[in-house]
Amino acid sequence: MTVFDIVFQPEGKVVPAAAGLSILDVASWAGLHINASCAGAGVCGRCRVEVVSGSVRCETGPGAYFSEEEYGRGMRLACVCHVEGPAEIFIPPESRADASVFAKAEGHEEVTVAEPNPPVRELELALAPPTETDNLGDSDRLLAGLAATHGLEHAELALEALLELPDALRADDFAVRATVYQPVGEPAPPVRVMSVRPARDRRPAYALAVDIGTTSVWARLVNQVTGGYTPSMGDLNGQISFGEDVISRIVFADKGDGLARLQKRVLESLNHLLDRLLTEYEVDRDRIILAVVAGNTTMSHLFAGLSPKNIRLAPYVPAAAGWPTLRAAEVGLQVPTSTRLLIYPSVSSYVGGDIVAGVLASGMYMRPELTLFIDIGTNGEIVVGNQDWMTCAACSAGPAFEGGGVKFGMRAAPGAVDQFYFDPVARRHGLTVIGEPWAKPIGICGSGLISIVSELFLSGVLDPQGKFVPEAAPDFIRDGEDGREYLLKPQAETGLDRDLTITEIDVENLIRAKGAMYSGYQTLLESVGLTMNDLERVIIAGGFGKSLNLTNAMAIGLLPELPVEKFTYIGNSSLTGATLVTLSGGLWQKAQKIKDGLTNFELSETPGYMDYYMASQFLPHTQSDLFPRTMDRRKKKLVKLH
Amino acid sequence: MTVFDIVFQPEGKVVPAAAGLSILDVASWAGLHINASCAGAGVCGRCRVEVVSGSVRCETGPGAYFSEEEYGRGMRLACVCHVEGPAEIFIPPESRADASVFAKAEGHEEVTVAEPNPPVRELELALAPPTETDNLGDSDRLLAGLAATHGLEHAELALEALLELPDALRADDFAVRATVYQPVGEPAPPVRVMSVRPARDRRPAYALAVDIGTTSVWARLVNQVTGGYTPSMGDLNGQISFGEDVISRIVFADKGDGLARLQKRVLESLNHLLDRLLTEYEVDRDRIILAVVAGNTTMSHLFAGLSPKNIRLAPYVPAAAGWPTLRAAEVGLQVPTSTRLLIYPSVSSYVGGDIVAGVLASGMYMRPELTLFIDIGTNGEIVVGNQDWMTCAACSAGPAFEGGGVKFGMRAAPGAVDQFYFDPVARRHGLTVIGEPWAKPIGICGSGLISIVSELFLSGVLDPQGKFVPEAAPDFIRDGEDGREYLLKPQAETGLDRDLTITEIDVENLIRAKGAMYSGYQTLLESVGLTMNDLERVIIAGGFGKSLNLTNAMAIGLLPELPVEKFTYIGNSSLTGATLVTLSGGLWQKAQKIKDGLTNFELSETPGYMDYYMASQFLPHTQSDLFPRTMDRRKKKLVKLH
């Protein structure tokens, strides 16, 4: 395998990458997000990058996405360009989900990257040194200065700030920088001075933005002066060895010292991420003045050491939906004790702070278009609404999207089948496997499962009930130990000790999962008298969305069938939401308002949901008029066949 | 020595006491304060107690202070009644300084003992348990209840409260008691929920009121529900082994780990006092929800672990004058982490929180009479003013009042000469010694020194310059190793290895000390165009005041010569001020206003002070017209002599 250095600009990040990988994948591995609504299918045209130097192997010409001039100066789609030597790639702002959120928010009063207005700020003060006639105490002098210079009346000092104040004042002739926290509230509560240092210490302050997922944790550093931020870094959530989904974590937390162990694990993961960020970006730990954390309700509880047990007991009540402002160190983050911690508020037990952060990052709360926001996972969360109203719900999709409940299911890791293609004329198939070229498959990840079921359904190998049609693929369909199954690869071509197959039970599980999502969209829309056709925008967030093929997802009825241009993938919007709040106290207030404004539906208690759910247990749906194009594609494929 | 049990009511406190001790002294030793403006001289009539049962040996009959009826039912002056057997003594409210402060404050809007309105409160909430249609999170449910039931909008939970909330709610069917802290501010900042417990736990909450003195620490518990409080308990400030006065502590704090050691020592003393209080009054530690601390500026700094070094360097700037609200546990008090800590604000480096607390306790800030408030010590603090204005200053009196700088000086402990009488006709003297009957003297305490100098001056043995007049007492005045001296007791009658004497240098030191105080009163009065004769009230606070004989103190020029009825002794007003604040958030606001309203004079920088000081370096004063009665007494005594 030949490896070349790819340099991403403007970060200047150097990433060693194997020949043949797509630039989109290389950037993604390096934690540099590039928009790709079509998940790398080469159709959405949103992953525009500029090849500044070196060369890449590009599958397409200028075509629909570039003018001759743009193509001439190196503009390409990252998803169809592949590494063939060292290269320098510039990712323009419009191709970054995060950057585009900032750009979208620019018209908004609070967010400008150029002039951040963070909830924790550093203020410079040149105080008059005391004299015989002006011998105010140090703390009174500082507070008087804050009032006079910055209009901050009634400020109060934290003990840490007070303890370091006398020496800080005298180190630089009474010129200091004060780190000041402005709590949210009406009327605005007094600000709190968290720390003080001599003004000559000009190292900028940083915030830590964190997304805590059930599977993985992500974080980045945000420069509080310039508003610039580092790429995100991710790692597995160390809790994963105590259970894969939130329910198993809640059960574990309730036994013995389970809660403490889970809290310790996620903090180990986060502190390790923080160490890596500090080292890589050469930031001093004592310059972290704020941490903003977004996570689902259970993750937020476990992070704070708060028992989540009532989340899984009817009537499903979290201990905390809104969170008080805490000190990051009191929870266990390895930062100064003066560092504030803001935890994103949850709407309910199953619509958490990650979704509130995502809604903030998506901008849907301030736009007129009727929007569907989806985060697909074991618990798929959905939000429907616009600037005037918003409803939300959690769908118990089950673990199929993450490979759970599927015979050969696995996460999207090396060895997983992630794409599948069936040729109905030749009655044969091809598939791609994550990892090295020629890697042998060992399982099927969520997107692979969707790809397989979609292809087999469109090709007539699966019927609308999700049953195999043996005559459509007689070489592959057979009866196995778990009932009827489809042979993907014989044992010799796998990394397994047996054949790799997909069973009817697997298909059934996927249908249950996608149906839970789809009937959720329908229920929320119906609650306000609307239908799928009224949707003007669909926003897909979260890790799973990255590898989701829109066409496949529509074909199985996971996504509503709408024009592709209505879909946007916004990546880890939970982390983006956390990032935004580090830069704007106003957006933190907005987050509280989004939380308060989201009307939560408990789908299992909502009349009509069960009917929608039952109707969704088909491919793509009982009501085939909801999926006219899919039905049309299937008909055409079958016509071609016969 | 025969010891009897004396029972004090209404506390029911049993105190073993030696026969012959005065009831005033026994009560004082037990920490039960009884007013005694004349310091036990039997002349002010303020130490009225009732002998309920048993008997005491009383020196006086009904006389001026009691009707026949009162005397008949056992009313006596505590200072002239002596133990002669077991007895039960009732101390009526009017004889308690603290109680009288409460009584005085009764007309005031915030303070009524019957309905305390403490800054930290416990609120009962009967919340509706969650249902399928009402599944608000626990924290949101609590906050909604606080808003609906108690009108507290925008409350916030501390992490500890959040962690205990789920179980507390479910232990008693969603009926809870929330401990809520209401910070002071305009507009009022949001309240903070510090802890939550099941409503069925009906144990009352307590506050800890603390006075930290340079020499001793005092504390009591205050029942936050009834407003009742325990007697105070005192102990030596453990810092005393690192220096007797604040300056030596500041010097020690600046060396190596001196600051940490000093903080540790005072916390050991306080935690030990707290242990004793909790044990004696059977209060659970987890029921302490608030601590209020008053102390001088240096003691407050050392308590919080804050370097006091700039207090002794010009221009004498404390690190903290106003204090933020802290957690008592973060400083080191052994109380729950949720317990709030309020530290009384200081006015300046040498007018501390103990004085602000004293002014609050004295009520002078809300009365029309022109008042002089005095706390005599190494640093004597004085306040002059009334409800409309107040000025203050610290006088560097030196250590003479506490026995420092005096050849045989010592604290008011067993073996100290505390009273002295000279018979100018017979040319002989008598003296009393603190401790067991027939105890041999080993030194002279501050009040003894004042008594000696006063008697010798009135008798003509000392001239106005503080020099001995040998012919007035030829048997006692002699030349010693430190210059001219007066023989108090020959070695055989002392507990020493040499004669007990008082030297001219000792007298000089006392004159310097008393002059520093007196010229302070004059400077503050002059700053507003007033004189001693305008004073309507003199309040004496602090431990030294307890043993101060008013007549002696006026005779040497330590106190202004005014009618005795203008003087009041209010005991440990620093502790009283701390106690009051535990019961009233309004008074805490008042304390901040007192601090802001006190105009501080740095006497050494004030024009005229040095002139006053120089003029004060005589007995009683260069301007003898300021002390007409003293001069008259001296003349009469001398006439009797010649």
Side-chain angles (χ1 to χ4, degrees):
Chain A
M1 187 178 72
T2 321
V3 172
F4 301 103
D5 276 352
I6 307 298
V7 183
F8 287 99
Q9 300 294 7
E11 287 85 357
K13 184 163 190 174
V14 181
V15 185
L21 284 176
S22 81
I23 297 299
L24 184 64
D25 285 343
V26 176
S28 164
W29 285 13
L32 296 170
H33 183 74
I34 299 178
N35 294 332
S37 306
C38 66
V43 297
C44 74
R46 300 190 69 239
C47 61
R48 295 155 62 103
V49 296
E50 184 176 340
V51 182
V52 179
S53 67
S55 70
V56 297
R57 178 169 52 78
C58 185
E59 294 164 6
T60 60
Y65 301 114
F66 300 105
S67 67
E68 288 288 342
E69 182 274 329
E70 284 178 325
Y71 197 81
R73 66 179 160 91
M75 294 302 290
R76 299 288 185 275
L77 294 184
C79 67
V80 293
C81 287
H82 299 266
V83 174
E84 61 174 10
E88 183 179 354
I89 309 288
F90 176 76
I91 307 173
E94 66 271 23
S95 295
R96 293 171 182 268
D98 297 353
S100 71
V101 166
F102 280 106
K104 279 169 198 157
E106 252 171 25
H108 199 271
E109 70 275 20
E110 277 112 352
V111 184
T112 67
V113 177
E115 284 184 67
N117 175 31
V120 179
R121 278 175 287 163
E122 291 212 325
L123 302 175
E124 194 168 343
L125 286 163
L127 301 170
T131 63
E132 281 161 1
T133 54
D134 165 25
N135 57 0
L136 263 186
D138 290 346
S139 61
D140 286 11
R141 183 172 304 274
L142 182 77
L143 297 180
L146 282 173
T149 315
H150 298 281
L152 297 171
E153 303 279 352
H154 309 296
E156 203 181 39
L157 277 90
L159 180 58
E160 298 93 325
L162 186 56
L163 294 178
E164 63 198 4
L165 180 62
D167 287 346
L169 283 173
R170 288 165 183 84
D172 197 9
D173 197 28
F174 286 76
V176 289
R177 288 172 206 279
T179 305
V180 166
Y181 165 59
Q182 170 75 63
V184 168
E186 313 252 350
V191 303
R192 198 161 168 88
V193 181
M194 304 307 300
S195 66
V196 187
R197 62 204 172 99
R200 68 179 174 211
D201 177 358
R202 297 182 187 281
R203 295 172 301 151
Y206 284 84
L208 178 69
V210 177
D211 161 54
I212 305 180
T214 311
T215 305
S216 53
V217 291
W218 290 89
R220 67 154 54 97
L221 298 178
V222 186
N223 183 314
Q224 297 295 88
V225 179
T226 64
Y229 46 88
T230 73
S232 61
M233 273 195 192
D235 204 347
L236 274 185
N237 181 338
Q239 294 175 342
I240 207 145
S241 46
F242 300 133
E244 297 236 332
D245 56 26
V246 295
I247 296 299
S248 58
R249 305 274 171 87
I250 295 172
V251 170
F252 188 88
D254 207 26
K255 286 182 194 156
D257 61 350
L259 175 58
R261 291 173 70 189
L262 287 170
Q263 185 187 23
K264 186 159 170 275
R265 279 295 177 95
V266 71
L267 280 161
E268 281 168 0
S269 301
L270 290 175
N271 282 321
H272 183 59
L273 267 188
L274 174 59
D275 290 346
R276 285 169 53 200
L277 285 165
L278 294 176
T279 304
E280 176 140 357
Y281 298 102
E282 294 177 359
V283 172
D284 297 329
R285 195 179 294 272
D286 72 331
R287 296 278 62 231
I288 305 290
I289 64 171
L290 170 66
V292 179
V293 171
N296 66 48
T297 309
T298 299
M299 288 305 115
S300 300
H301 276 60
L302 295 177
F303 169 65
L306 185 55
S307 168
K309 68 181 170 194
N310 295 303
I311 288 179
R312 67 181 270 269
L313 304 173
Y316 315 113
V317 175
W323 289 87
T325 305
L326 304 172
R327 288 161 184 265
E330 76 182 320
V331 165
L333 280 177
Q334 283 162 3
V335 291
T337 57
S338 60
T339 305
R340 288 275 114 175
L341 168 64
L342 304 177
I343 301 179
Y344 253 96
S346 296
V347 178
S348 65
S349 276
Y350 294 104
V351 178
D354 51 345
I355 301 305
V356 175
V359 167
L360 183 90
S362 77
M364 69 178 280
Y365 71 92
M366 57 173 178
R367 296 174 150 222
E369 299 94 12
L370 179 65
T371 304
L372 169 64
F373 175 101
I374 313 174
D375 190 337
I376 301 169
T378 303
N379 284 288
E381 293 96 353
I382 54 181
V383 181
V384 170
N386 61 16
Q387 62 193 16
D388 300 320
W389 57 271
M390 287 191 286
T391 59
C392 65
C395 311
S396 298
F401 296 129
E402 283 157 7
V406 174
K407 187 168 184 180
F408 288 98
M410 65 179 287
R411 290 186 183 279
V417 173
D418 66 341
Q419 283 181 61
F420 179 87
Y421 179 77
F422 187 83
D423 180 338
V425 178
R427 287 185 176 168
R428 61 182 188 183
H429 63 248
L431 50 78
T432 62
V433 177
I434 298 177
E436 306 284 320
W438 322 122
K440 288 182 173 176
I442 55 173
I444 309 164
C445 69
S447 58
L449 187 66
I450 292 169
S451 180
I452 294 166
V453 173
S454 149
E455 276 293 291
L456 293 181
F457 170 65
L458 288 174
S459 309
V461 183
L462 278 170
D463 70 13
Q465 284 76 33
K467 304 297 176 199
F468 287 115
V469 180
E471 57 274 27
D475 295 345
F476 301 102
I477 295 170
R478 65 190 193 189
D479 287 326
E481 55 185 356
D482 297 313
R484 195 155 282 184
E485 64 186 19
Y486 179 96
L487 177 67
L488 290 166
K489 284 282 182 190
Q491 189 267 332
E493 292 180 37
T494 71
L496 299 165
D497 56 358
R498 51 192 166 150
D499 296 344
L500 179 66
T501 61
I502 175 172
T503 69
E504 267 184 10
I505 296 171
D506 297 342
V507 177
E508 208 173 282
N509 279 332
L510 181 66
I511 290 176
R512 266 208 290 275
K514 69 93 188 173
M517 297 295 296
Y518 195 86
S519 48
Y521 318 150
Q522 288 181 302
T523 306
L524 288 194
L525 284 166
E526 192 207 52
S527 74
V528 286
L530 297 172
T531 68
M532 294 293 175
N533 289 325
D534 296 311
L535 286 174
E536 294 167 275
R537 203 166 162 232
V538 179
I539 295 172
I540 300 171
F544 185 67
K546 187 159 73 174
S547 53
L548 191 67
N549 178 298
L550 289 184
T551 314
N552 290 346
M554 284 188 241
I556 66 163
L558 169 59
L559 293 179
E561 191 173 86
L562 294 168
V564 169
E565 61 271 19
K566 289 194 175 180
F567 290 84
T568 314
Y569 174 60
I570 60 166
N572 186 343
S573 58
S574 173
L575 184 62
T576 306
T579 305
L580 284 168
V581 161
T582 66
L583 292 172
S584 166
L587 284 182
W588 182 232
Q589 255 177 310
K590 207 69 82 182
Q592 307 296 326
K593 282 185 185 148
I594 289 172
K595 178 242 177 185
D596 291 337
L598 272 164
T599 305
N600 185 56
F601 281 76
E602 294 290 338
L603 293 179
S604 59
E605 313 292 337
T606 306
Y609 174 73
M610 273 316 289
D611 294 339
Y612 279 125
Y613 179 71
M614 294 312 295
S616 73
Q617 297 299 300
F618 290 84
L619 289 174
H621 196 275
T622 312
Q623 269 182 275
S624 57
D625 59 335
L626 288 169
F627 292 85
R629 279 184 292 146
T630 295
M631 296 315 289
D632 195 43
R633 279 176 69 198
R634 187 171 197 256
K635 198 157 65 186
K636 279 182 187 156
K637 255 196 166 174
L638 296 185
V639 163
K640 214 190 296 183
L641 174 63
H642 297 296
Chain B
M1 185 180 71
T2 321
V3 172
F4 302 102
D5 277 350
I6 306 299
V7 183
F8 286 99
Q9 300 294 6
E11 287 87 357
K13 183 161 188 172
V14 182
V15 185
L21 284 176
S22 81
I23 296 300
L24 183 65
D25 284 343
V26 176
S28 164
W29 284 14
L32 296 170
H33 183 74
I34 300 177
N35 295 331
S37 307
C38 66
V43 297
C44 74
R46 299 190 68 238
C47 62
R48 294 155 62 103
V49 297
E50 185 177 340
V51 182
V52 180
S53 66
S55 71
V56 296
R57 178 170 52 79
C58 187
E59 294 165 5
T60 60
Y65 302 113
F66 301 106
S67 67
E68 288 288 341
E69 181 274 328
E70 286 178 324
Y71 197 81
R73 65 179 161 89
M75 293 301 290
R76 298 289 185 276
L77 294 184
C79 68
V80 293
C81 286
H82 298 266
V83 174
E84 62 174 7
E88 183 179 354
I89 309 289
F90 175 78
I91 309 173
E94 68 270 22
S95 296
R96 293 172 181 267
D98 297 354
S100 71
V101 167
F102 280 107
K104 280 169 198 157
E106 253 170 25
H108 198 274
E109 69 276 19
E110 278 111 351
V111 183
T112 67
V113 176
E115 283 183 69
N117 174 31
V120 179
R121 280 174 287 163
E122 290 212 324
L123 302 175
E124 194 168 343
L125 286 163
L127 300 170
T131 63
E132 280 162 1
T133 53
D134 166 24
N135 57 1
L136 263 187
D138 291 347
S139 61
D140 286 11
R141 183 172 304 273
L142 182 78
L143 297 180
L146 282 173
T149 315
H150 297 282
L152 296 172
E153 304 279 354
H154 309 295
E156 203 180 39
L157 277 89
L159 180 59
E160 299 92 324
L162 186 56
L163 293 178
E164 64 199 3
L165 180 62
D167 287 346
L169 282 174
R170 287 163 184 84
D172 197 9
D173 198 29
F174 287 76
V176 290
R177 288 172 206 279
T179 305
V180 166
Y181 166 58
Q182 171 77 63
V184 168
E186 314 250 351
V191 303
R192 196 159 169 91
V193 181
M194 303 307 299
S195 66
V196 186
R197 63 206 171 97
R200 68 181 174 208
D201 177 359
R202 295 181 188 282
R203 295 172 303 151
Y206 285 83
L208 178 69
V210 176
D211 161 54
I212 305 180
T214 310
T215 305
S216 53
V217 291
W218 290 89
R220 66 154 57 97
L221 298 177
V222 186
N223 183 314
Q224 297 295 88
V225 180
T226 65
Y229 48 88
T230 72
S232 61
M233 273 192 191
D235 204 347
L236 274 185
N237 181 337
Q239 295 174 342
I240 207 145
S241 45
F242 300 133
E244 296 236 331
D245 55 29
V246 293
I247 296 299
S248 58
R249 305 273 171 87
I250 294 172
V251 171
F252 188 87
D254 206 26
K255 286 184 194 154
D257 61 349
L259 174 59
R261 291 172 72 188
L262 287 169
Q263 186 187 24
K264 184 157 172 275
R265 279 295 178 95
V266 71
L267 280 161
E268 281 168 2
S269 300
L270 289 175
N271 283 320
H272 183 59
L273 267 188
L274 174 60
D275 290 346
R276 285 169 54 200
L277 284 164
L278 294 176
T279 305
E280 175 140 357
Y281 299 101
E282 294 177 359
V283 171
D284 297 329
R285 194 178 295 272
D286 72 332
R287 296 280 60 232
I288 306 291
I289 64 172
L290 170 67
V292 179
V293 171
N296 65 47
T297 309
T298 300
M299 288 305 116
S300 300
H301 277 59
L302 295 177
F303 168 65
L306 185 56
S307 167
K309 69 181 168 193
N310 296 305
I311 288 178
R312 67 182 271 269
L313 304 174
Y316 315 112
V317 175
W323 290 86
T325 305
L326 304 173
R327 289 160 184 265
E330 76 182 322
V331 166
L333 280 176
Q334 284 162 3
V335 291
T337 56
S338 60
T339 305
R340 288 275 114 175
L341 168 64
L342 304 178
I343 300 178
Y344 252 98
S346 295
V347 178
S348 65
S349 277
Y350 294 103
V351 178
D354 52 345
I355 301 306
V356 176
V359 168
L360 182 90
S362 77
M364 69 178 281
Y365 70 93
M366 57 174 179
R367 297 174 147 221
E369 300 94 10
L370 179 66
T371 304
L372 169 64
F373 175 102
I374 313 174
D375 190 337
I376 302 170
T378 302
N379 285 290
E381 293 96 352
I382 54 179
V383 181
V384 169
N386 62 17
Q387 63 193 15
D388 300 320
W389 56 272
M390 287 190 287
T391 59
C392 64
C395 309
S396 299
F401 297 128
E402 282 156 8
V406 175
K407 185 167 185 179
F408 289 98
M410 66 179 287
R411 292 187 181 279
V417 173
D418 66 342
Q419 282 179 61
F420 177 88
Y421 181 76
F422 187 85
D423 181 339
V425 178
R427 288 184 175 169
R428 61 181 188 185
H429 62 248
L431 49 80
T432 63
V433 177
I434 299 176
E436 308 284 319
W438 321 123
K440 288 182 174 176
I442 56 171
I444 310 163
C445 69
S447 58
L449 188 65
I450 291 169
S451 181
I452 293 166
V453 173
S454 148
E455 276 293 292
L456 294 181
F457 169 65
L458 289 174
S459 309
V461 181
L462 277 171
D463 69 16
Q465 284 78 31
K467 304 296 175 199
F468 288 116
V469 181
E471 57 274 26
D475 295 345
F476 300 102
I477 294 171
R478 66 191 193 187
D479 286 325
E481 57 185 358
D482 297 310
R484 194 156 281 185
E485 64 185 19
Y486 180 98
L487 177 67
L488 290 166
K489 284 281 181 191
Q491 188 269 331
E493 292 180 38
T494 71
L496 299 166
D497 58 359
R498 49 194 168 149
D499 296 345
L500 179 66
T501 62
I502 174 171
T503 68
E504 265 182 12
I505 297 171
D506 297 341
V507 176
E508 209 172 282
N509 280 330
L510 180 67
I511 291 175
R512 266 208 290 274
K514 69 93 188 174
M517 296 294 296
Y518 194 86
S519 47
Y521 320 148
Q522 287 181 301
T523 305
L524 288 194
L525 283 166
E526 192 208 52
S527 74
V528 286
L530 298 171
T531 70
M532 294 293 175
N533 289 327
D534 297 310
L535 287 173
E536 294 166 276
R537 203 166 161 233
V538 179
I539 294 173
I540 299 170
F544 185 69
K546 187 159 75 176
S547 53
L548 190 67
N549 178 297
L550 290 184
T551 313
N552 289 346
M554 285 188 242
I556 66 162
L558 168 59
L559 294 180
E561 191 174 85
L562 294 168
V564 169
E565 60 272 18
K566 289 195 176 181
F567 290 84
T568 314
Y569 174 61
I570 61 166
N572 187 341
S573 57
S574 172
L575 184 61
T576 307
T579 305
L580 284 167
V581 161
T582 66
L583 293 172
S584 166
L587 284 184
W588 183 232
Q589 257 178 305
K590 206 70 84 185
Q592 308 296 328
K593 284 187 183 146
I594 290 171
K595 177 243 178 184
D596 291 337
L598 272 164
T599 305
N600 184 57
F601 281 76
E602 294 289 339
L603 293 179
S604 59
E605 313 293 336
T606 307
Y609 175 74
M610 274 316 289
D611 294 339
Y612 280 125
Y613 178 72
M614 293 313 294
S616 72
Q617 299 298 303
F618 290 83
L619 290 173
H621 196 276
T622 313
Q623 269 182 276
S624 56
D625 59 334
L626 288 167
F627 293 84
R629 281 183 293 146
T630 295
M631 297 314 289
D632 195 43
R633 278 176 69 200
R634 187 170 196 258
K635 198 157 66 187
K636 280 179 186 157
K637 255 195 166 177
L638 297 184
V639 164
K640 215 189 296 181
L641 173 64
H642 298 296

